[in-house]
Amino acid sequence: MRPAPAPVLVSAHRNGARDDPALENTPAALDRAVATGAEYVELDVRRCRDGTLVLSHESWVLLGGELCPVAQLSYDEFAAAAPGALRFEDAVGLLAGRAGVHLDLKFRSPAEAYASPGGALEVAAVARAVELAGPANVVVTTGNVQAIRAVRDWSDAAGLGVRAGLSVGGSVAGRPLAEQVRSRWSELFPAPRFAESRADAVVANHWLALLGVARFARRARLPLLVWTVDHPLLLRYWLRPGRAWMVTTNRPELALSIRGARIQP
């Protein structure tokens, strides 16, 4: 007899801030996320101009009445625009020993840095998270094929076993139409990208997962992380054991209640 599938894990999206922008990326948000009982808390990690890693879901902040890219700001400028927002290391430190750390990396290394895994900026961030929280408590996600490969190569060389998932289904708004079509096609048929990345998890928008990415994950025997699932009906579907490995949601309390009751779709 086959063993029963493991319960689907829950990751608190946007570090548990839900729809409260003032709370996002603050200690209070992390405390609230941990209090729900979610196994993981998602941290959106960006890099300031001076190299400081900070938490920010959006690529920009409002500074002096203007939208400014986080990547073009010093840490002091970022802190002035987002007072209370945590630095990456401080956030990981607050979660260590309390919940798993789900790092969604939203920055890129210079192209030449990927020639050696240890030279990638993403690897340095993951290494610091592992130092603070332990390798078994860190999950890494990003849509950057090169970054995932660098993390996997580094993790394997060090014997750490850090889970690194390649994301598909992100926004293509603003790109040329031909590029949008190519991007969506590669997401519906993602095998080449996953082979190149060496990802050991599939990370997909829940609609894209329904359209075929979940089937790809099953055939490739890779765990599936589905984002961002908030509607009760969709939570009931994706939280059924065996359908996913992890679900990211803005409603971790509801997700955990549904999972606990084992409501079947």
Side-chain angles (χ1 to χ4, degrees):
M1 179 181 295
R2 286 184 180 178
V8 179
L9 302 177
V10 173
S11 175
H13 186 235
R14 297 177 82 146
N15 52 81
R18 300 177 193 158
D19 55 355
D20 186 349
L23 192 64
E24 191 169 354
N25 304 319
T26 66
L30 298 186
D31 288 343
R32 186 163 77 174
V34 169
T36 68
E39 286 82 9
Y40 283 83
V41 178
E42 183 196 41
L43 306 179
D44 298 298
V45 186
R46 295 190 183 274
R47 190 171 187 269
C48 291
R49 185 183 71 235
D50 57 12
T52 306
L53 298 180
V54 296
L55 303 191
S56 180
H57 185 271
E58 306 301 337
S59 63
W60 49 266
V61 291
L62 191 63
L63 181 63
E66 297 184 1
L67 295 178
C68 300
V70 173
Q72 295 179 15
L73 299 177
S74 69
Y75 172 69
D76 288 343
E77 291 168 331
F78 172 81
L86 287 162
R87 291 184 298 180
F88 160 75
E89 283 195 34
D90 296 334
V92 176
L94 286 171
L95 290 177
R98 303 170 70 203
V101 181
H102 173 186
L103 300 179
D104 195 30
L105 303 180
K106 296 180 178 291
F107 62 92
R108 287 177 176 261
S109 298
E112 61 273 12
Y114 297 116
S116 170
L121 299 173
E122 295 91 338
V123 168
V126 176
R128 183 57 177 150
V130 165
E131 182 181 349
L132 292 169
N137 302 311
V138 175
V139 169
V140 182
T141 61
T142 179
N144 182 350
V145 168
Q146 292 174 299
I148 289 296
R149 186 176 184 97
V151 170
R152 290 280 287 120
D153 288 348
W154 164 80
S155 175
D156 286 356
L160 295 173
V162 175
R163 179 80 70 187
L166 181 66
S167 300
V168 295
S171 174
V172 294
R175 300 185 193 176
L177 179 59
E179 186 178 336
Q180 292 186 35
V181 172
R182 284 196 301 272
S183 177
R184 289 300 183 228
W185 183 263
S186 71
E187 290 168 346
L188 287 170
F189 301 95
R193 295 182 66 200
F194 276 85
E196 182 183 356
S197 72
R198 298 188 61 244
D200 59 358
V202 177
V203 184
N205 171 275
H206 63 92
W207 293 117
L208 200 62
L210 287 171
L211 288 173
V213 175
R215 183 169 60 251
F216 163 77
R218 286 194 300 271
R219 290 176 176 174
R221 298 184 178 181
L222 291 171
L224 174 67
L225 190 162
V226 184
W227 55 270
T228 299
V229 187
D230 292 337
H231 194 281
L233 291 178
L234 290 170
L235 283 169
R236 290 187 181 101
Y237 178 86
W238 287 113
L239 287 167
R240 183 169 183 174
R243 288 215 167 121
W245 159 62
M246 185 185 296
V247 165
T248 298
T249 177
N250 289 302
R251 306 179 70 184
E253 297 99 330
L254 176 61
L256 292 163
S257 174
I258 289 173
R259 187 183 71 182
R262 299 185 65 85
I263 296 176
Q264 303 297 319

